[in-house]
C-alpha cells in the first residue's frame, strides 16, 4: 500500500473556503493512487481562543480538563474536512485521537505519542476510505485525553507517517516552504529546495517558525522525509531529509532574533562555583540564558561575564542578580536591542574559513560583533539590532544564498 500523510495547518483550514481547497488537494492525491491519511490542526485562532477561555474560568485551570478543552478545535476542522470530502463524492470519516487510538505518555499539555494502533485505519484505507485524524491529541494510560505541545499536530503527522510506514509526509502550510532567511526582513530570501533535519532544527529553534521543533526531532529519529509546501499555491516546497541526500552547500540559511538583551557583570570574583551561583537563581525563575562568555581574567582575581536573555526578562533578571548574596561584582551593564544573527549549514563541518568569511562580511559593513558562539553547524554573533537588516543582507550575499 502506497501511503501518504497529508497534514493541514491552522491557516490551511482557516475558513470554509480553505477547507474546500484542502479537500480538493486531498482528492488529487487519491487520484494518484495513493492511500491518503489526513491529519489536521484546528482552524487558525481556535486553539488560542480555547486557551483564553480556560484562563477566564480559572487562573489554575485543571490540566486534564485543559486538554479536553483545547483539543476540541481539531474535532471541528476534521469533521468539516470529512464532510467536504463526502460532499465531493469521496468516502471519508473523522477520527479523534482516542478512537484510533493514538497513545501518549507524559504530562498533560506536553504529552508525547508512543504508539498508534493501526488496524482500524488500515482496514478503512483498504476499503477505499480517507481517514481524517485529529492532530495535537491522544489518549493516555488513564483513558484521559491528552494534548501535545502547542503546534503539536506536526508531531502527530510525523508519528502517523512512522507508524503507517508512509512513503511521504506532506505539511501544508501558509508559506511556500523554508526560506534562506525571513522574507519579511529580506526580500531576496529564497526558498530552500532541500534541508537536513539538523539544519532545520537549528532554523526552527532560532526563529524560522515553519514547523514545531520537536516534530523535526521525531522525523530525524525515524528518518521520515517531510515535504513542506503551500496549501494555496501548487508549487514545489522544501524537502526536509537526511544530510546525505543534500549536495554540496556550505551555508543553508541565516536566522536572527529580534528581542534579546545583553547583560554584563563587571569585576566578578574569579573562583570556582561563581558561574553556577550566578545562573542558579535565573534557572529557578525560568529565565532562559542564551549566549554566555566569560573573559579570561588578567590577574586571576576578577573577570567579566556577559550573557544574553530575552528582553522581557530584563527587570526580573536584574533584580535576581542584585539580590544574589552569593555573588560579588563591581557593576552591571545592560544593553537592550541586540540581535543574535546566525549562519547555519552542515557544509561548514568540512569547509574551513567559514567563520572568517562571516566576520569579514560583517566588518566590511562596519558592524561590530559583541559576542560569538559556535556549534558544529552554526555560528552566531551578537550585534546591535539596528544593523540587523544590513547584516542579513551581507551574509546572504557572502554565502551566495540568492543563487
Ligand atoms: N491547534 C494546535 C495549536 O494551535 C496544534 C497545531 O496547530 O499544530 O497549537
Ligand atoms: Mg502549526
Amino acid at each position: 500500500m502506497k501511503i501518504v500523510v497529508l497534514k493541514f495547518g491552522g491557516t490551511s483550514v482557516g475558513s470554509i473556503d480553505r477547507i474546500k481547497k484542502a479537500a480538493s488537494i486531498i482528492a488529487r492525491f487519491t487520484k494518484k493512487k495513493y492511500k491518503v491519511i489526513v491529519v489536521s490542526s484546528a482552524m487558525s485562532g481556535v486553539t488560542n481562543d480555547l486557551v483564553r477561555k480556560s484562563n477566564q474560568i480559572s487562573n489554575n485551570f485543571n490540566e486534564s480538563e485543559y486538554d479536553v478543552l483545547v483539543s476540541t478545535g481539531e474535532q471541528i476542522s476534521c469533521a468539516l474536512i470529512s464532510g467536504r470530502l463526502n460532499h465531493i463524492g469521496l468516502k471519508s470519516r473523522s477520527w479523534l485521537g482516542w478512537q484510533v487510538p493514538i497513545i501518549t505518555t507524559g504530562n498533560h499539555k506536553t504529552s508525547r505519542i508512543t504508539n498508534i494502533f493501526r488496524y482500524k485505519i488500515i482496514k478503512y484505507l483498504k476499503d477505499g476510505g480517507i481517514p481524517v485524524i485529529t492532530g495535537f491529541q491522544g489518549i493516555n494510560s488513564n483513558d484521559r485525553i491528552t494534548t501535545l505541545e502547542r503546534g503539536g499536530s506536526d508531531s502527530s503527522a510525523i508519528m502517523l507517517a512512522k507508524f503507517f510506514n508512509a512513503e511521504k509526509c506532506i505539511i501544508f502550510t501558509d508559506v511556500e516552504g523554508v526560506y534562506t532567511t525571513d522574507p519579511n526582513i529580506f526580500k531576496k530570501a529564497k526558498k530552500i529546495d532541500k534541508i537536513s533535519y539538523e539544519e532545520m532544527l537549528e532554523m526552527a529553534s532560532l526563529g524560522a517558525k515553519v514547523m514545531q521543533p520537536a516534530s523535526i526531532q521525531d522525523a530525524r529519529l525515524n528518518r521520515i522525509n517531510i515535504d513542506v509546501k503551500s496549501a494555496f499555491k501548487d508549487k514545489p516546497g522544501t524537502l526536509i531529509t537526511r544530510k546525505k541526500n543534500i549536495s554540496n552547500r556550505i551555508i543553508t540559511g541565516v536566522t536572527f532574533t529580534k528581542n534579546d538583551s545583553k547583560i554584563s557583570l563587571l569585576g566578578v570574583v574569579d573562583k570556582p562555583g561563581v558561574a553556577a551561583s550566578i545562573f542558579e537563581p535565573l534557572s529557578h525563575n525560568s529565565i532562559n540564558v542564551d549566549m554566555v562568555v566569560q573573559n579570561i581574567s588578567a590577574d586571576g582575581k576578577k573577570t567579566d561575564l556577559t550573557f544574553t536573555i530575552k528582553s522581557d526578562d530584563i527587570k526580573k533578571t536584574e533584580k535576581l542578580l542584585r539580590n544574589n548574596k552569593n555573588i560579588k561584582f563591581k557593576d552591571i551593564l545592560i544593553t537592550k536591542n541586540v540581535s543574535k544573527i546566525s549562519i547555519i549549514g552542515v557544509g561548514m563541518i568540512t569547509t574551513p574559513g567559514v567563520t572568517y568569511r562571516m566576520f569579514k562580511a560583517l566588518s566590511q559593513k562596519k558592524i561590530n560583533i559583541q559576542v560569538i558562539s559556535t556549534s558544529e553547524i552554526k555560528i552566531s554573533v551578537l550585534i546591535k539590532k539596528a544593523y540587523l537588516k544590513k547584516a542579513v543582507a551581507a551574509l546572504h550575499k557572502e554565502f551566495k544564498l540568492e543563487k
Side-chain angles (χ1 to χ4, degrees), residues 137-356:
Q137 58 168 264
I139 185 171
N140 66 17
S141 53
N142 297 326
D143 280 351
R144 297 292 325 237
I145 307 264
T146 54
T147 62
L148 316 176
E149 262 169 279
R150 291 301 307 272
S153 53
D154 288 330
S155 280
S156 309
I158 302 297
M159 295 311 264
L160 283 162
K162 168 190 152 114
F163 281 98
F164 289 93
N165 222 333
E167 197 167 283
K168 274 194 208 178
C169 177
I170 306 181
I171 307 284
F172 287 98
T173 177
D174 52 359
V175 290
E176 283 174 34
V178 182
Y179 280 78
T180 51
T181 193
D182 184 348
N184 298 315
I185 290 281
F186 188 61
K187 281 201 300 294
K188 289 188 195 156
K190 278 201 72 180
K191 200 191 67 212
I192 300 166
D193 294 331
K194 277 187 195 176
I195 186 171
S196 66
Y197 301 116
E198 290 79 5
E199 291 166 322
M200 188 62 216
L201 267 170
E202 291 286 1
M203 306 263 293
S205 46
L206 291 175
K209 293 184 193 62
V210 183
M211 279 190 76
Q212 188 207 32
S215 70
I216 297 162
Q217 192 64 285
D218 289 337
R220 186 176 77 86
L221 294 173
N222 296 297
R223 304 257 173 258
I224 312 279
N225 285 329
I226 315 169
D227 222 340
V228 180
K229 60 200 309 190
S230 163
F232 315 128
K233 291 184 197 154
D234 190 15
K235 277 188 168 176
T238 299
L239 179 69
I240 308 174
T241 186
R242 306 168 67 156
K243 277 206 282 273
K244 78 172 213 314
N245 298 336
I246 292 169
S247 56
N248 288 341
R249 180 177 61 199
I250 303 170
I251 296 303
T252 300
V254 180
T255 60
F256 50 84
T257 61
K258 281 198 255 181
N259 193 26
D260 287 352
S261 290
K262 182 180 77 171
I263 297 192
S264 296
L265 293 177
L266 307 182
V268 182
V269 178
D270 192 16
K271 60 169 198 218
V274 167
S277 309
I278 292 172
F279 292 119
E280 189 188 0
L282 304 188
S283 114
H284 284 159
N285 284 277
S286 304
I287 288 165
N288 216 336
V289 174
D290 186 15
M291 302 171 101
V292 182
V293 282
Q294 185 188 324
N295 282 352
I296 295 177
S297 63
D299 57 3
K301 288 179 191 142
K302 297 266 171 76
T303 184
D304 302 335
L305 192 112
T306 296
F307 57 93
T308 61
I309 51 167
K310 290 287 156 224
S311 297
D312 297 340
D313 291 334
I314 291 183
K315 283 220 178 84
K316 204 165 149 193
T317 306
E318 186 179 358
K319 206 167 144 201
L320 286 166
L321 290 168
R322 291 198 187 275
N323 294 342
N324 187 339
K325 301 236 161 45
N326 299 323
I327 52 173
K328 277 209 190 87
F329 53 85
K330 267 220 310 274
D331 208 353
I332 178 167
L333 290 182
I334 297 178
T335 319
K336 289 181 199 164
N337 297 320
V338 290
S339 279
K340 179 171 83 166
I341 174 158
S342 310
I343 56 173
I344 291 153
V346 286
M348 71 173 73
I349 300 172
T350 48
T351 316
V354 178
T355 315
Y356 165 69

Side-chain angles (χ1 to χ4, degrees), residues 42-51 72-74 76:
M43 294 171 78
S44 52
V46 170
T47 313
N48 285 344
D49 193 42
L50 294 165
V51 172
T72 55
E74 276 71 14
I76 300 171

Side-chain angles (χ1 to χ4, degrees), residues 18 21 26 57 64 87 139 182 205 276 355 358 366 381 389:
R18 288 185 171 177
K21 177 90 208 294
I26 296 165
I57 289 288
S64 43
H87 175 86
I139 185 171
D182 184 348
S205 46
T355 315
M358 179 181 199
K366 308 252 180 308
V381 297
K389 280 190 182 180

